[in-house]
Amino acid sequence: MSCKIRSKSIHIYRHQQHLKWSRHIPPVQTISSGDVIHFDTIDGSNGQITKASSKSALEAFDISRADPAFGPVFVTGAEPGDVLQVEILELETADWGWTAIVPGFGLLPDEFPEPVLKIWSLDAAQPYVTFKEGIRIPKRPFLGVMGVAPGSGGDFSMIPPLNTGGNLDCRYLTVGSKLYLPVQAPGALFSCGDGHAAQGDGEVCGTAIETSLKAKLRLTILKNQSWVTAAQFETPPRTADLQAVDDAWLPDKGEYAAMGIDADLHEAARKATRNLIEWLVRARALNREEAYMLASVAGSLKIVEIVDMPNFVVAMSLPLNIFV
């Protein structure tokens, strides 16, 4: 899904960005409920990684500049206790993206201490991107960051998600989905960013296929919804045309999953990820760094069992149809 962005009536530009969540950041636009806005965002590196970058860019990477949000947008009439409905109407990726293993970041930082950078080509004419020969990843673009200002004073980091949204990294917020955010500050002060071309559940190596995105969103106030205290979302049924595109090159072949079992949920997820990496190395002839990145952009962490104490069971699964 790449889509052309047409109307330019309300536009947020790349220079209109911020690196903290705060109710005190002045809005760059004021809109009415129901207005459609066009966002031109840069990737989560904030320009620190380019199409020509090598892994040396990761060694100089400044995490304090990462995951910029574009906005904020003041929605007239939005008050604490309301909900801001965000409809994702169109998304258009750049023609390239990147995935990286960043030292000290991700689910297995102690096992992958060296920087690795992969630059992807994103062909708008193809519904997939090529990981390496024989492995194709379906494009499912989405904004990793969508949120409104927290109600309390002070500044909040862009990296951890909040009840008011932010760095949710939810791969289901694609075109046609709706995100519901609890309004805590007057005007809501909505911002978005952190474009992804594809990602698995969990984003285990810490990066997806990171890319710049142009987004067309509709923002609508839903009054008196104080029972919504954290982000919620709704996804549409898959349309016949999208299903036909997928079926043409991506027939369902099932999944392969590796489990991790531990009394600590985080450690169970680490074990499941580690075990899938081992399968990819042994059965699919990838090196460990490739396997880790592939798990991040196409794998899905799932809680299989959470009630049979003291141990949790987590599965890391991978769709077999990515292997062409």
Short mmCIF file of all heavy atoms in Angstrom, two decimals, residues 49-115:
data_model
loop_
_atom_site.label_atom_id
_atom_site.label_comp_id
_atom_site.label_asym_id
_atom_site.label_seq_id
_atom_site.Cartn_x
_atom_site.Cartn_y
_atom_site.Cartn_z
N ILE A 49 20.22 8.63 9.66
CA ILE A 49 20.53 7.54 8.73
C ILE A 49 19.96 7.92 7.36
O ILE A 49 18.80 8.33 7.25
CB ILE A 49 19.95 6.21 9.22
CG1 ILE A 49 20.65 5.81 10.53
CG2 ILE A 49 20.11 5.11 8.18
CD1 ILE A 49 20.08 4.57 11.17
N THR A 50 20.79 7.78 6.33
CA THR A 50 20.38 8.09 4.97
C THR A 50 20.51 6.85 4.10
O THR A 50 21.04 5.82 4.53
CB THR A 50 21.24 9.21 4.37
OG1 THR A 50 22.58 8.70 4.14
CG2 THR A 50 21.33 10.41 5.31
N LYS A 51 20.07 6.97 2.87
CA LYS A 51 20.14 5.85 1.92
C LYS A 51 21.59 5.40 1.70
O LYS A 51 21.84 4.24 1.37
CB LYS A 51 19.50 6.27 0.60
CG LYS A 51 19.28 5.13 -0.38
CD LYS A 51 18.79 5.64 -1.74
CE LYS A 51 17.45 6.31 -1.66
NZ LYS A 51 16.90 6.59 -3.03
N ALA A 52 22.53 6.31 1.89
CA ALA A 52 23.94 6.00 1.65
C ALA A 52 24.70 5.64 2.92
O ALA A 52 25.91 5.43 2.88
CB ALA A 52 24.63 7.19 0.97
N SER A 53 24.02 5.53 4.05
CA SER A 53 24.70 5.32 5.33
C SER A 53 25.31 3.92 5.43
O SER A 53 24.82 2.96 4.83
CB SER A 53 23.73 5.51 6.49
OG SER A 53 23.39 6.86 6.67
N SER A 54 26.37 3.82 6.21
CA SER A 54 26.95 2.55 6.62
C SER A 54 26.74 2.40 8.12
O SER A 54 26.16 3.28 8.78
CB SER A 54 28.44 2.51 6.29
OG SER A 54 29.14 3.46 7.10
N LYS A 55 27.24 1.30 8.69
CA LYS A 55 27.01 1.06 10.10
C LYS A 55 27.71 2.09 10.98
O LYS A 55 27.39 2.21 12.17
CB LYS A 55 27.45 -0.35 10.50
CG LYS A 55 28.95 -0.59 10.46
CD LYS A 55 29.26 -1.99 10.96
CE LYS A 55 30.77 -2.24 11.01
NZ LYS A 55 31.06 -3.60 11.53
N SER A 56 28.63 2.88 10.42
CA SER A 56 29.27 3.94 11.20
C SER A 56 28.25 4.98 11.67
O SER A 56 28.46 5.64 12.69
CB SER A 56 30.37 4.62 10.39
OG SER A 56 29.83 5.24 9.23
N ALA A 57 27.14 5.11 10.93
CA ALA A 57 26.09 6.03 11.35
C ALA A 57 25.48 5.59 12.68
O ALA A 57 25.01 6.42 13.47
CB ALA A 57 25.01 6.13 10.28
N LEU A 58 25.47 4.28 12.93
CA LEU A 58 24.92 3.78 14.19
C LEU A 58 25.86 4.06 15.36
O LEU A 58 25.42 4.29 16.49
CB LEU A 58 24.66 2.27 14.09
CG LEU A 58 23.68 1.83 13.00
CD1 LEU A 58 23.62 0.31 12.93
CD2 LEU A 58 22.29 2.41 13.27
N GLU A 59 27.15 4.06 15.08
CA GLU A 59 28.13 4.33 16.13
C GLU A 59 28.05 5.77 16.61
O GLU A 59 28.38 6.09 17.75
CB GLU A 59 29.53 4.00 15.62
CG GLU A 59 29.70 2.51 15.30
CD GLU A 59 30.92 2.20 14.45
OE1 GLU A 59 31.59 3.17 14.02
OE2 GLU A 59 31.20 1.01 14.22
N ALA A 60 27.59 6.68 15.73
CA ALA A 60 27.45 8.09 16.09
C ALA A 60 25.99 8.46 16.39
O ALA A 60 25.68 9.64 16.56
CB ALA A 60 27.99 8.96 14.96
N PHE A 61 25.11 7.45 16.46
CA PHE A 61 23.66 7.70 16.58
C PHE A 61 23.34 8.38 17.91
O PHE A 61 23.76 7.94 18.97
CB PHE A 61 22.90 6.39 16.46
CG PHE A 61 21.43 6.54 16.23
CD1 PHE A 61 20.93 6.70 14.95
CD2 PHE A 61 20.53 6.54 17.29
CE1 PHE A 61 19.57 6.84 14.72
CE2 PHE A 61 19.18 6.67 17.07
CZ PHE A 61 18.69 6.82 15.78
N ASP A 62 22.58 9.47 17.84
CA ASP A 62 22.15 10.23 19.03
C ASP A 62 20.71 9.86 19.33
O ASP A 62 19.79 10.32 18.66
CB ASP A 62 22.30 11.72 18.77
CG ASP A 62 21.94 12.57 19.98
OD1 ASP A 62 21.52 12.01 21.01
OD2 ASP A 62 22.08 13.81 19.88
N ILE A 63 20.50 9.02 20.35
CA ILE A 63 19.15 8.54 20.67
C ILE A 63 18.24 9.68 21.11
O ILE A 63 17.01 9.60 20.94
CB ILE A 63 19.22 7.45 21.77
CG1 ILE A 63 17.88 6.69 21.88
CG2 ILE A 63 19.62 8.04 23.11
CD1 ILE A 63 17.55 5.84 20.70
N SER A 64 18.80 10.77 21.61
CA SER A 64 17.97 11.90 22.06
C SER A 64 17.28 12.60 20.90
O SER A 64 16.32 13.34 21.10
CB SER A 64 18.81 12.90 22.85
OG SER A 64 19.75 13.57 22.01
N ARG A 65 17.77 12.38 19.67
CA ARG A 65 17.15 12.97 18.48
C ARG A 65 16.17 12.02 17.80
O ARG A 65 15.54 12.40 16.80
CB ARG A 65 18.23 13.37 17.48
CG ARG A 65 19.14 14.50 17.93
CD ARG A 65 20.28 14.72 16.96
NE ARG A 65 19.79 14.91 15.58
CZ ARG A 65 20.55 14.80 14.50
NH1 ARG A 65 21.84 14.48 14.62
NH2 ARG A 65 20.04 14.98 13.29
N ALA A 66 16.03 10.80 18.31
CA ALA A 66 15.23 9.78 17.64
C ALA A 66 13.74 9.97 17.87
O ALA A 66 13.30 10.60 18.83
CB ALA A 66 15.66 8.40 18.11
N ASP A 67 12.96 9.35 16.98
CA ASP A 67 11.49 9.31 17.04
C ASP A 67 10.85 10.69 17.19
O ASP A 67 10.06 10.94 18.10
CB ASP A 67 11.04 8.40 18.19
CG ASP A 67 11.20 6.94 17.88
OD1 ASP A 67 11.45 6.61 16.70
OD2 ASP A 67 11.08 6.12 18.80
N PRO A 68 11.17 11.63 16.29
CA PRO A 68 10.49 12.93 16.36
C PRO A 68 9.00 12.78 16.07
O PRO A 68 8.59 11.92 15.28
CB PRO A 68 11.19 13.75 15.27
CG PRO A 68 11.64 12.72 14.28
CD PRO A 68 12.05 11.52 15.10
N ALA A 69 8.21 13.60 16.73
CA ALA A 69 6.77 13.66 16.45
C ALA A 69 6.48 14.98 15.75
O ALA A 69 7.11 16.01 16.03
CB ALA A 69 5.97 13.56 17.74
N PHE A 70 5.52 14.96 14.83
CA PHE A 70 5.24 16.12 13.99
C PHE A 70 3.90 16.72 14.39
O PHE A 70 2.87 16.05 14.41
CB PHE A 70 5.29 15.71 12.52
CG PHE A 70 6.67 15.22 12.15
CD1 PHE A 70 7.04 13.90 12.41
CD2 PHE A 70 7.60 16.08 11.63
CE1 PHE A 70 8.32 13.46 12.13
CE2 PHE A 70 8.89 15.65 11.33
CZ PHE A 70 9.25 14.33 11.58
N GLY A 71 3.93 17.99 14.72
CA GLY A 71 2.81 18.70 15.31
C GLY A 71 3.35 19.61 16.39
O GLY A 71 4.48 20.09 16.30
N PRO A 72 2.57 19.84 17.45
CA PRO A 72 1.22 19.30 17.71
C PRO A 72 0.12 20.09 17.02
O PRO A 72 0.31 21.24 16.64
CB PRO A 72 1.11 19.40 19.23
CG PRO A 72 1.97 20.55 19.60
CD PRO A 72 3.11 20.55 18.62
N VAL A 73 -1.03 19.42 16.91
CA VAL A 73 -2.23 20.00 16.31
C VAL A 73 -3.27 20.22 17.41
O VAL A 73 -3.60 19.29 18.15
CB VAL A 73 -2.79 19.08 15.22
CG1 VAL A 73 -4.12 19.62 14.70
CG2 VAL A 73 -1.78 18.93 14.08
N PHE A 74 -3.76 21.44 17.52
CA PHE A 74 -4.81 21.79 18.49
C PHE A 74 -6.16 21.58 17.83
O PHE A 74 -6.45 22.15 16.78
CB PHE A 74 -4.64 23.25 18.92
CG PHE A 74 -5.57 23.69 20.02
CD1 PHE A 74 -5.13 23.74 21.33
CD2 PHE A 74 -6.88 24.08 19.75
CE1 PHE A 74 -5.97 24.16 22.36
CE2 PHE A 74 -7.73 24.49 20.75
CZ PHE A 74 -7.28 24.52 22.07
N VAL A 75 -7.00 20.73 18.44
CA VAL A 75 -8.33 20.45 17.90
C VAL A 75 -9.33 21.26 18.71
O VAL A 75 -9.52 21.03 19.92
CB VAL A 75 -8.67 18.96 17.98
CG1 VAL A 75 -10.01 18.69 17.29
CG2 VAL A 75 -7.57 18.12 17.33
N THR A 76 -9.95 22.23 18.09
CA THR A 76 -10.88 23.12 18.78
C THR A 76 -12.01 22.33 19.42
O THR A 76 -12.65 21.50 18.77
CB THR A 76 -11.46 24.15 17.79
OG1 THR A 76 -10.37 24.87 17.18
CG2 THR A 76 -12.39 25.12 18.49
N GLY A 77 -12.22 22.58 20.71
CA GLY A 77 -13.32 21.94 21.43
C GLY A 77 -12.93 20.68 22.17
O GLY A 77 -13.72 20.17 22.97
N ALA A 78 -11.73 20.18 21.94
CA ALA A 78 -11.30 18.97 22.64
C ALA A 78 -10.96 19.31 24.09
O ALA A 78 -10.19 20.24 24.37
CB ALA A 78 -10.09 18.35 21.95
N GLU A 79 -11.54 18.55 25.02
CA GLU A 79 -11.36 18.81 26.44
C GLU A 79 -11.02 17.51 27.16
O GLU A 79 -11.37 16.42 26.68
CB GLU A 79 -12.64 19.39 27.04
CG GLU A 79 -13.13 20.67 26.40
CD GLU A 79 -14.51 21.07 26.89
OE1 GLU A 79 -15.37 20.18 27.04
OE2 GLU A 79 -14.72 22.27 27.12
N PRO A 80 -10.36 17.61 28.32
CA PRO A 80 -10.12 16.40 29.11
C PRO A 80 -11.42 15.64 29.37
O PRO A 80 -12.45 16.24 29.67
CB PRO A 80 -9.52 16.95 30.40
CG PRO A 80 -8.84 18.22 29.98
CD PRO A 80 -9.73 18.80 28.92
N GLY A 81 -11.37 14.33 29.20
CA GLY A 81 -12.57 13.50 29.30
C GLY A 81 -13.15 13.12 27.95
O GLY A 81 -13.98 12.21 27.86
N ASP A 82 -12.69 13.79 26.88
CA ASP A 82 -13.09 13.43 25.53
C ASP A 82 -12.13 12.37 24.99
O ASP A 82 -11.11 12.04 25.60
CB ASP A 82 -13.07 14.64 24.60
CG ASP A 82 -14.07 15.71 24.99
OD1 ASP A 82 -15.03 15.40 25.73
OD2 ASP A 82 -13.88 16.87 24.55
N VAL A 83 -12.45 11.87 23.80
CA VAL A 83 -11.56 10.98 23.05
C VAL A 83 -11.28 11.61 21.70
O VAL A 83 -12.20 12.17 21.07
CB VAL A 83 -12.18 9.58 22.90
CG1 VAL A 83 -11.58 8.82 21.72
CG2 VAL A 83 -11.99 8.77 24.17
N LEU A 84 -10.03 11.52 21.25
CA LEU A 84 -9.70 11.94 19.89
C LEU A 84 -9.65 10.69 19.02
O LEU A 84 -8.85 9.78 19.24
CB LEU A 84 -8.34 12.65 19.85
CG LEU A 84 -7.98 13.21 18.47
CD1 LEU A 84 -8.90 14.37 18.10
CD2 LEU A 84 -6.52 13.66 18.43
N GLN A 85 -10.54 10.66 18.02
CA GLN A 85 -10.55 9.56 17.04
C GLN A 85 -9.63 9.93 15.87
O GLN A 85 -9.80 10.98 15.26
CB GLN A 85 -11.96 9.33 16.54
CG GLN A 85 -12.06 8.29 15.42
CD GLN A 85 -13.47 8.16 14.88
OE1 GLN A 85 -14.29 7.46 15.43
NE2 GLN A 85 -13.75 8.87 13.78
N VAL A 86 -8.67 9.07 15.59
CA VAL A 86 -7.71 9.29 14.51
C VAL A 86 -7.97 8.25 13.42
O VAL A 86 -7.76 7.05 13.64
CB VAL A 86 -6.26 9.17 15.01
CG1 VAL A 86 -5.29 9.47 13.88
CG2 VAL A 86 -6.02 10.08 16.20
N GLU A 87 -8.46 8.69 12.28
CA GLU A 87 -8.70 7.78 11.16
C GLU A 87 -7.51 7.84 10.21
O GLU A 87 -7.11 8.92 9.76
CB GLU A 87 -9.96 8.19 10.41
CG GLU A 87 -11.25 8.06 11.21
CD GLU A 87 -12.45 8.53 10.41
OE1 GLU A 87 -12.86 7.81 9.47
OE2 GLU A 87 -12.96 9.62 10.70
N ILE A 88 -6.93 6.67 9.91
CA ILE A 88 -5.79 6.60 9.00
C ILE A 88 -6.34 6.42 7.59
O ILE A 88 -6.84 5.36 7.23
CB ILE A 88 -4.83 5.46 9.37
CG1 ILE A 88 -4.24 5.70 10.78
CG2 ILE A 88 -3.69 5.36 8.37
CD1 ILE A 88 -4.93 4.94 11.87
N LEU A 89 -6.26 7.49 6.78
CA LEU A 89 -6.88 7.50 5.45
C LEU A 89 -5.91 7.10 4.35
O LEU A 89 -6.28 6.35 3.45
CB LEU A 89 -7.44 8.90 5.17
CG LEU A 89 -8.46 9.43 6.19
CD1 LEU A 89 -8.89 10.84 5.80
CD2 LEU A 89 -9.67 8.51 6.28
N GLU A 90 -4.69 7.60 4.37
CA GLU A 90 -3.70 7.29 3.35
C GLU A 90 -2.30 7.32 3.97
O GLU A 90 -2.03 8.12 4.88
CB GLU A 90 -3.74 8.30 2.19
CG GLU A 90 -5.05 8.32 1.41
CD GLU A 90 -5.05 9.34 0.27
OE1 GLU A 90 -3.97 9.89 -0.03
OE2 GLU A 90 -6.12 9.57 -0.31
N LEU A 91 -1.43 6.45 3.45
CA LEU A 91 -0.03 6.42 3.87
C LEU A 91 0.84 6.18 2.64
O LEU A 91 0.53 5.29 1.83
CB LEU A 91 0.22 5.30 4.90
CG LEU A 91 -0.51 5.41 6.24
CD1 LEU A 91 -0.34 4.12 7.05
CD2 LEU A 91 0.00 6.60 7.05
N GLU A 92 1.91 6.93 2.51
CA GLU A 92 2.82 6.80 1.37
C GLU A 92 4.25 6.76 1.89
O GLU A 92 4.72 7.70 2.54
CB GLU A 92 2.64 7.98 0.42
CG GLU A 92 3.55 7.95 -0.79
CD GLU A 92 3.40 9.19 -1.67
OE1 GLU A 92 2.42 9.94 -1.48
OE2 GLU A 92 4.30 9.40 -2.51
N THR A 93 4.95 5.67 1.62
CA THR A 93 6.32 5.53 2.11
C THR A 93 7.30 6.24 1.18
O THR A 93 6.99 6.56 0.03
CB THR A 93 6.73 4.05 2.20
OG1 THR A 93 6.89 3.52 0.88
CG2 THR A 93 5.70 3.22 2.96
N ALA A 94 8.51 6.45 1.69
CA ALA A 94 9.61 6.86 0.83
C ALA A 94 10.04 5.68 -0.04
O ALA A 94 9.48 4.58 0.07
CB ALA A 94 10.78 7.35 1.69
N ASP A 95 11.04 5.87 -0.88
CA ASP A 95 11.49 4.78 -1.76
C ASP A 95 12.60 3.95 -1.12
O ASP A 95 13.20 3.10 -1.78
CB ASP A 95 11.94 5.33 -3.12
CG ASP A 95 13.15 6.25 -3.03
OD1 ASP A 95 13.63 6.53 -1.91
OD2 ASP A 95 13.62 6.72 -4.10
N TRP A 96 12.88 4.19 0.15
CA TRP A 96 13.90 3.41 0.85
C TRP A 96 13.57 3.40 2.34
O TRP A 96 12.77 4.20 2.84
CB TRP A 96 15.30 3.97 0.62
CG TRP A 96 15.53 5.30 1.33
CD1 TRP A 96 15.11 6.53 0.92
CD2 TRP A 96 16.18 5.47 2.60
NE1 TRP A 96 15.47 7.48 1.84
CE2 TRP A 96 16.13 6.87 2.88
CE3 TRP A 96 16.80 4.62 3.50
CZ2 TRP A 96 16.68 7.41 4.04
CZ3 TRP A 96 17.34 5.16 4.66
CH2 TRP A 96 17.28 6.54 4.93
N GLY A 97 14.18 2.45 3.03
CA GLY A 97 14.03 2.37 4.47
C GLY A 97 15.24 1.69 5.08
O GLY A 97 16.18 1.31 4.36
N TRP A 98 15.24 1.52 6.39
CA TRP A 98 16.39 0.90 7.06
C TRP A 98 15.93 0.09 8.26
O TRP A 98 14.89 0.36 8.86
CB TRP A 98 17.42 1.95 7.49
CG TRP A 98 16.92 2.98 8.47
CD1 TRP A 98 16.29 4.16 8.19
CD2 TRP A 98 17.01 2.91 9.91
NE1 TRP A 98 15.98 4.83 9.35
CE2 TRP A 98 16.42 4.09 10.42
CE3 TRP A 98 17.54 1.98 10.81
CZ2 TRP A 98 16.34 4.35 11.80
CZ3 TRP A 98 17.46 2.23 12.17
CH2 TRP A 98 16.86 3.41 12.65
N THR A 99 16.73 -0.91 8.58
CA THR A 99 16.58 -1.71 9.79
C THR A 99 17.97 -1.83 10.40
O THR A 99 18.95 -1.95 9.68
CB THR A 99 16.02 -3.10 9.49
OG1 THR A 99 14.73 -2.97 8.86
CG2 THR A 99 15.86 -3.93 10.76
N ALA A 100 18.05 -1.80 11.72
CA ALA A 100 19.37 -1.83 12.35
C ALA A 100 19.34 -2.62 13.64
O ALA A 100 18.31 -2.71 14.32
CB ALA A 100 19.87 -0.41 12.62
N ILE A 101 20.48 -3.18 13.96
CA ILE A 101 20.76 -3.66 15.31
C ILE A 101 21.61 -2.57 15.96
O ILE A 101 22.74 -2.32 15.54
CB ILE A 101 21.51 -5.00 15.30
CG1 ILE A 101 20.65 -6.08 14.61
CG2 ILE A 101 21.87 -5.43 16.72
CD1 ILE A 101 21.36 -7.41 14.44
N VAL A 102 21.03 -1.91 16.94
CA VAL A 102 21.69 -0.79 17.61
C VAL A 102 22.23 -1.30 18.95
O VAL A 102 21.46 -1.83 19.76
CB VAL A 102 20.71 0.38 17.84
CG1 VAL A 102 21.43 1.54 18.52
CG2 VAL A 102 20.10 0.83 16.52
N PRO A 103 23.53 -1.20 19.19
CA PRO A 103 24.09 -1.70 20.45
C PRO A 103 23.37 -1.13 21.67
O PRO A 103 23.07 0.06 21.73
CB PRO A 103 25.54 -1.22 20.39
CG PRO A 103 25.85 -1.13 18.93
CD PRO A 103 24.57 -0.67 18.29
N GLY A 104 23.04 -2.04 22.61
CA GLY A 104 22.37 -1.62 23.84
C GLY A 104 20.87 -1.48 23.72
O GLY A 104 20.20 -1.08 24.67
N PHE A 105 20.30 -1.83 22.54
CA PHE A 105 18.88 -1.63 22.29
C PHE A 105 18.26 -2.93 21.83
O PHE A 105 18.95 -3.81 21.31
CB PHE A 105 18.69 -0.54 21.23
CG PHE A 105 17.34 0.12 21.22
CD1 PHE A 105 16.83 0.70 22.36
CD2 PHE A 105 16.59 0.16 20.06
CE1 PHE A 105 15.58 1.31 22.35
CE2 PHE A 105 15.35 0.77 20.03
CZ PHE A 105 14.84 1.35 21.18
N GLY A 106 16.96 -3.11 22.01
CA GLY A 106 16.27 -4.31 21.56
C GLY A 106 16.08 -5.32 22.67
O GLY A 106 16.44 -5.10 23.84
N LEU A 107 15.52 -6.48 22.31
CA LEU A 107 15.19 -7.51 23.29
C LEU A 107 16.40 -8.33 23.72
O LEU A 107 16.44 -8.85 24.84
CB LEU A 107 14.10 -8.44 22.71
CG LEU A 107 13.44 -9.43 23.67
CD1 LEU A 107 12.71 -8.70 24.79
CD2 LEU A 107 12.48 -10.34 22.91
N LEU A 108 17.41 -8.45 22.84
CA LEU A 108 18.59 -9.26 23.13
C LEU A 108 19.88 -8.44 22.99
O LEU A 108 20.80 -8.83 22.26
CB LEU A 108 18.64 -10.48 22.20
CG LEU A 108 17.44 -11.42 22.21
CD1 LEU A 108 17.57 -12.47 21.11
CD2 LEU A 108 17.30 -12.10 23.57
N PRO A 109 19.99 -7.32 23.67
CA PRO A 109 21.16 -6.45 23.45
C PRO A 109 22.47 -7.09 23.88
O PRO A 109 23.52 -6.80 23.29
CB PRO A 109 20.84 -5.22 24.31
CG PRO A 109 19.92 -5.73 25.38
CD PRO A 109 19.08 -6.78 24.70
N ASP A 110 22.42 -7.97 24.89
CA ASP A 110 23.64 -8.61 25.37
C ASP A 110 24.17 -9.64 24.37
O ASP A 110 25.36 -9.97 24.39
CB ASP A 110 23.40 -9.26 26.73
CG ASP A 110 22.14 -10.13 26.75
OD1 ASP A 110 21.19 -9.83 26.01
OD2 ASP A 110 22.11 -11.12 27.51
N GLU A 111 23.30 -10.15 23.49
CA GLU A 111 23.71 -11.18 22.53
C GLU A 111 24.06 -10.61 21.16
O GLU A 111 24.62 -11.32 20.32
CB GLU A 111 22.60 -12.23 22.41
CG GLU A 111 22.32 -12.94 23.73
CD GLU A 111 21.15 -13.90 23.63
OE1 GLU A 111 20.99 -14.52 22.57
OE2 GLU A 111 20.41 -14.02 24.63
N PHE A 112 23.70 -9.34 20.92
CA PHE A 112 24.00 -8.69 19.64
C PHE A 112 24.65 -7.33 19.91
O PHE A 112 24.02 -6.28 19.75
CB PHE A 112 22.72 -8.54 18.80
CG PHE A 112 22.16 -9.85 18.34
CD1 PHE A 112 21.27 -10.57 19.13
CD2 PHE A 112 22.53 -10.38 17.12
CE1 PHE A 112 20.75 -11.79 18.71
CE2 PHE A 112 22.03 -11.61 16.68
CZ PHE A 112 21.14 -12.30 17.49
N PRO A 113 25.91 -7.34 20.36
CA PRO A 113 26.56 -6.09 20.78
C PRO A 113 27.10 -5.24 19.63
O PRO A 113 27.43 -4.07 19.84
CB PRO A 113 27.71 -6.59 21.67
CG PRO A 113 28.06 -7.93 21.08
CD PRO A 113 26.76 -8.52 20.62
N GLU A 114 27.20 -5.82 18.42
CA GLU A 114 27.81 -5.09 17.30
C GLU A 114 26.74 -4.42 16.44
O GLU A 114 25.67 -5.00 16.20
CB GLU A 114 28.64 -6.04 16.44
CG GLU A 114 29.80 -6.67 17.18
CD GLU A 114 30.77 -5.64 17.71
OE1 GLU A 114 31.03 -4.64 17.00
OE2 GLU A 114 31.28 -5.84 18.84
N PRO A 115 27.00 -3.22 15.93
CA PRO A 115 26.02 -2.54 15.08
C PRO A 115 25.91 -3.21 13.71
O PRO A 115 26.90 -3.64 13.13
CB PRO A 115 26.59 -1.13 14.95
CG PRO A 115 28.06 -1.29 15.15
CD PRO A 115 28.21 -2.41 16.14
#
